[in-house]
Amino acid sequence: MSNTKVFKSWVPNWAIIAIIFFCLLHSMVLLGVYTSNVTYAASFLDVEPEDLQFSMIVTYATFLTTILVESRLFKFFPTKKYFLTIYGLSAITFILTAYIENFSLFIILRIAEGILMALPCVALRQFLISRFKSKHALIIGFTLNYSALFLATPFIMNIAVWLLENYDWKYMAYGSALFQIVCVGLVMLTFESHRFHRKIPLYQIDWSSFIFLLTSLLSGAYFFVYGEKKYWFESDQIIIALIVSLLTGGLFVLRQMLIKRPTFDMGVFRYANLRNGLFISVFFYIARATLNICHSTMFTVWNWEPSRVAHVQYLNLIGNVIGMVLAGVFLAKSVSSKYMFIIGFSLFAVFHLWFTFLFVPDVSLSDIAIPYMLQGVAVGIIFVPLVLFTVAAVPTHYGPFAGIVGVAGRFWGSILGFAIIQNAGVFLQKNHYSKLSQFVLPESPETQMRVAQITQSFIAKGYSSDNANKLAIKQIVSSISKQSVLLSNMEIFTFMGYAMLVIVALLLMNQHLKQTFDIFRNRIWGN
């Protein structure tokens, strides 16, 4: 593919880079618009937060599956028409989501959005990398690509809060559709209309593998997301979801091992460092998932306004930028991935153990600013080196399959992180609530005195005696509930902090990581 012919001759290189980067944000909008503010999205669709989490996972599962066939579809269609169709259909799906309140139809649209999210991603990233003539082109391209992934989230969150405070929720969908239309305009303005690939018939695509894998991922996601809510194996739906996931997953693996030209070559798992990369990816995303606990605490315990929580996320974004810059410098100076992982997971440990002491009834922004930024630094330092490390763990011809393994690690890490935190939170909160309730028995003199004091404070504000007494009891129950949440968060963060230290110890003892980095360095710089 000659990228010099993809874009019109009058378009300068810097403009091409900016346009590609802007168009890459398309995927971030598709993934993040309905998860940027779960509370409002859930209320609009009249569903539970778990349903919104599942809808995000549906999109990402479809994204992962579509990557298997993306290159065939890209080569089948003329490049310009391919991108115009994707962005045009994305705009239409956003408009439809503004008017569909049925959750089942919404999930179908999220599947379509997952496909549309995956189709332009790899091609645009290759275009981006090809625009840099530096020997560090691969590092620069991946850093820009994945910086869009992380940096888009706080921007979307702040835009969402502003729109929700000033307009209706549907304007979120309208704004997202407008973004896609801008992408259509940029493609029409700067792309050539020629075909750049030999046309490969679509019947050669292994659609059976696509269906097997997608069914397995969606069923597995349903099992983990709804397991706790449906009491796990007491629910027939959960049992069926697990059986379907294992069965279709097994059929996918079996098919890849039997057919002559597999969609995914299982031989990629013979390489120890690819398995290490998958292991690190899963734990990395589990560690990232705890940030949602911080945001939940800001809303439910510290009673911060949505706009304030949205603005606070810029601190984490600054940390992401710092981490990515450091990672880029380390990679350019040939620092081993092993040491970058050790630094990153050490910062994760510091973040979790530091934040353990911040789960109190009230804190100021200055109290949480440094550890909150450190989490962003940790993410920035680890992510791009981890992607490159996973790809470099195997011979070149296995590279695309290694990339899919990396995406799979992110997928399962996100699901497991959500499931672990959800189940641990529910279990611990119930235990703490039960124990704390024992100290506020109605017949206890201390409890009666406390109720009387709070009742008097409400009466002084003008409430009647009956209403004041009800509000006093409600305040005590709320206090117990908040305290149980804080204690649970402390235990989860303490456990995660020590788990990160264990990961650091394992990284220090692993001798294969340096070997893979040497392969990666030779592949990039040729020495």
Side-chain angles (χ1 to χ4, degrees):
M1 177 173 56
S2 176
N3 285 299
T4 57
K5 297 180 180 179
V6 173
F7 301 94
K8 293 179 179 179
S9 58
W10 61 266
V11 186
N13 191 56
W14 63 266
I16 292 174
I17 293 172
I19 289 167
I20 294 173
F21 183 79
F22 184 86
C23 290
L24 278 170
L25 295 176
H26 147 87
S27 298
M28 307 310 109
V29 173
L30 282 168
L31 186 63
V33 66
Y34 271 90
T35 54
S36 59
N37 195 310
V38 173
T39 302
Y40 283 101
S43 63
F44 173 73
L45 293 166
D46 193 24
V47 296
E48 298 295 325
E50 293 88 351
D51 298 324
L52 260 297
Q53 180 69 25
F54 181 69
S55 76
M56 184 191 74
I57 292 172
V58 164
T59 303
Y60 206 81
T62 314
F63 170 83
L64 170 57
T65 310
T66 306
I67 288 177
L68 293 173
V69 299
E70 173 273 333
S71 63
R72 291 292 185 92
L73 292 170
F74 176 65
K75 292 176 181 178
F76 180 81
F77 297 100
T79 302
K80 185 173 183 177
K81 292 181 179 179
Y82 178 79
F83 288 121
L84 289 175
T85 302
I86 290 169
Y87 293 125
L89 289 175
S90 298
I92 293 172
T93 59
F94 275 122
I95 295 298
L96 290 175
T97 56
Y99 294 95
I100 289 178
E101 298 183 15
N102 181 281
F103 187 67
S104 298
L105 293 176
F106 178 70
I107 288 295
I108 293 173
L109 285 176
R110 292 299 280 173
I111 291 174
E113 289 174 354
I115 295 172
L116 295 170
M117 186 174 86
L119 290 178
C121 186
V122 176
L124 285 175
R125 187 172 64 204
Q126 288 302 114
F127 287 158
L128 183 63
I129 292 171
S130 70
R131 306 313 301 182
F132 298 100
K133 307 307 178 184
S134 166
K135 65 178 182 179
H136 303 309
L138 187 64
I139 296 170
I140 296 171
F142 272 86
T143 300
L144 287 175
N145 181 198
Y146 289 111
S147 65
L149 175 66
F150 290 122
L151 305 187
T153 301
F155 283 112
I156 292 174
M157 175 65 177
N158 277 272
I159 292 170
V161 169
W162 182 81
L163 284 171
L164 292 170
E165 288 180 347
N166 296 278
Y167 300 97
D168 185 74
W169 168 256
K170 292 181 180 180
Y171 282 86
M172 279 290 296
Y174 299 155
S176 302
L178 179 62
F179 182 92
Q180 310 301 319
I181 293 171
V182 172
C183 290
V184 168
L186 290 173
V187 171
M188 290 186 66
L189 185 65
T190 59
F191 277 64
E192 291 284 5
S193 301
H194 310 300
R195 174 178 289 278
F196 304 101
H197 300 281
R198 181 174 62 86
K199 190 174 182 179
I200 300 176
L202 292 182
Y203 69 81
Q204 294 183 8
I205 294 177
D206 186 2
W207 293 111
S208 297
S209 295
F210 179 91
I211 294 171
F212 284 147
L213 182 59
L214 181 59
T215 304
S216 179
L217 294 177
L218 293 181
S219 300
Y222 186 91
F223 173 81
F224 282 108
V225 172
Y226 292 104
E228 187 277 330
K229 188 174 182 180
K230 295 181 180 291
Y231 301 103
W232 293 106
F233 295 106
E234 294 181 20
S235 168
D236 292 338
Q237 292 179 338
I238 294 300
I239 294 172
I240 292 171
L242 179 60
I243 292 172
V244 170
S245 180
L246 294 175
L247 180 61
T248 52
L251 289 172
F252 172 79
V253 172
L254 184 63
R255 181 169 177 80
Q256 305 318 301
M257 296 174 68
L258 293 179
I259 62 177
K260 184 178 179 181
R261 294 177 180 174
T263 301
F264 180 85
D265 195 331
M266 303 303 295
V268 74
F269 287 108
R270 293 200 304 265
Y271 298 89
N273 267 332
L274 180 111
R275 299 193 297 271
N276 289 338
L278 178 60
F279 173 83
I280 294 171
S281 293
V282 170
F283 274 90
F284 169 69
Y285 270 84
I286 291 174
R288 278 197 70 212
T290 57
L291 193 65
N292 293 328
I293 293 179
C294 299
H295 297 153
S296 176
T297 304
M298 292 174 190
F299 281 116
T300 61
V301 179
W302 300 335
N303 298 319
W304 290 7
E305 293 294 324
S307 58
R308 187 181 186 190
V309 176
H311 296 333
V312 166
Q313 291 187 29
Y314 282 125
L315 289 175
N316 194 255
L317 182 149
I318 293 171
N320 287 150
V321 172
I322 293 171
M324 287 182 180
V325 171
L326 288 174
V329 172
F330 290 153
L331 286 169
K333 293 185 176 298
S334 302
V335 175
S336 172
S337 300
K338 175 178 179 177
Y339 299 116
M340 285 184 275
F341 296 157
I342 289 171
I343 293 170
F345 280 105
S346 297
L347 290 175
F348 264 133
V350 171
F351 159 70
H352 285 98
L353 295 175
W354 190 335
F355 231 96
T356 298
F357 300 99
L358 298 176
F359 287 116
V360 293
D362 190 26
V363 297
S364 65
L365 180 58
S366 60
D367 293 327
I368 71 165
I370 295 177
Y372 190 71
M373 285 182 63
L374 284 178
Q375 195 273 356
V377 176
V379 170
I381 287 178
I382 293 175
F383 192 77
V384 173
L386 180 56
V387 173
L388 296 175
F389 168 83
T390 305
V391 174
V394 298
T396 306
H397 64 279
Y398 277 126
F401 304 122
I404 293 171
V405 170
V407 176
R410 298 195 287 277
F411 174 79
W412 287 114
S414 298
I415 292 178
L416 290 174
F418 172 81
I420 290 170
I421 289 172
Q422 181 193 47
N423 285 274
V426 170
F427 175 77
L428 293 171
Q429 286 171 33
K430 285 181 179 178
N431 282 351
H432 287 303
Y433 188 87
S434 177
K435 292 177 181 178
L436 291 172
S437 297
Q438 296 175 10
F439 297 97
V440 289
L441 296 174
E443 60 271 17
S444 167
E446 292 82 1
T447 302
Q448 294 174 2
M449 183 182 300
R450 181 63 179 154
V451 170
Q453 290 174 348
I454 299 175
T455 299
Q456 287 301 318
S457 68
F458 279 115
I459 290 175
K461 294 177 182 178
Y463 290 91
S464 66
S465 297
D466 288 342
N467 288 336
N469 185 258
K470 291 177 182 178
L471 289 171
I473 294 172
K474 184 177 180 180
Q475 182 172 311
I476 289 175
V477 171
S478 176
S479 177
I480 295 171
S481 178
K482 288 183 177 181
Q483 195 62 42
S484 66
V485 169
L486 291 172
L487 289 171
S488 300
N489 292 349
M490 289 174 67
E491 291 182 359
I492 292 171
F493 268 63
T494 300
F495 174 82
M496 288 300 298
Y498 287 124
M500 294 302 101
L501 292 177
V502 171
I503 297 296
V504 170
L506 292 174
L507 289 169
L508 286 168
M509 292 186 290
N510 192 296
Q511 298 298 317
H512 296 287
L513 296 176
K514 186 179 184 302
Q515 298 172 11
T516 295
F517 179 76
D518 290 340
I519 295 171
F520 165 68
R521 182 176 57 190
N522 292 338
R523 214 178 269 178
I524 297 281
W525 293 286
N527 52 43

